[in-house]
């Protein structure tokens, strides 16, 4: 089955590179958020004033951010595979 071509080899390579970067970065950050790393406390989204935040609220917010990062890893994986298939398809096809 032929894969439809919708981007150039350079564009597909660039998007595959960005997808690979996301595959590396997001799980690492997700692991740090899941382990409640204090380094990321400034990046946690607050619904209330930070001084009114309880420890339980902070821990649940850390876990929500970690889950969102793990989901985005899956999206980056799909993007990476799609762009990699496009890159390989354009390199091996006769289409200029």
């Amino acid at each position: 089955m032929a894969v439809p071509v919708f981007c150039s080899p350079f564009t597909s390579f660039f998007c595959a590179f960005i997808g690979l970067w996301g595959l590396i970065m997001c799980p690492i950050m997700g692991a740090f958020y899941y382990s409640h790393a204090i380094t990321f406390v400034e990046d946690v989204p607050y619904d209330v004033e930070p001084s009114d935040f309880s420890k339980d609220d902070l821990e649940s917010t850390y876990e929500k951010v970690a889950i969102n990062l793990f989901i985005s890893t899956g999206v980056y994986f799909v993007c990476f595979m799609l762009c990699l298939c496009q890159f390989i398809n354009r390199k091996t096809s006769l289409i200029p």
Side-chain angles (χ1 to χ4, degrees):
M1 184 171 117
V3 178
V5 176
F6 55 84
C7 60
S8 70
F10 179 75
T11 305
S12 60
F13 177 75
F14 178 74
C15 291
F17 178 74
I18 296 297
L20 182 63
W21 169 75
L23 281 174
I24 295 169
M25 183 202 65
C26 285
I28 292 171
M29 285 183 61
F32 283 134
Y33 271 108
Y34 196 73
S35 66
H36 304 160
I38 194 69
T39 310
F40 293 117
V41 74
E42 293 179 357
D43 297 327
V44 173
Y46 295 109
D47 294 334
V48 295
E49 189 66 31
S51 61
D52 297 335
F53 229 50
S54 70
K55 184 179 178 185
D56 293 333
D57 291 338
L58 185 63
E59 288 178 357
S60 68
T61 306
Y62 262 116
E63 290 173 4
K64 286 179 189 176
V65 172
I67 290 170
N68 287 340
L69 282 165
F70 294 140
I71 291 170
S72 69
T73 301
V75 172
Y76 273 115
F77 177 74
V78 170
C79 176
F80 174 72
M81 291 306 293
L82 180 67
C83 293
L84 188 65
C85 288
Q86 284 293 301
F87 182 72
I88 292 170
N89 186 30
R90 287 296 293 230
K91 286 293 186 182
T92 59
S93 72
L94 299 175
I95 301 171

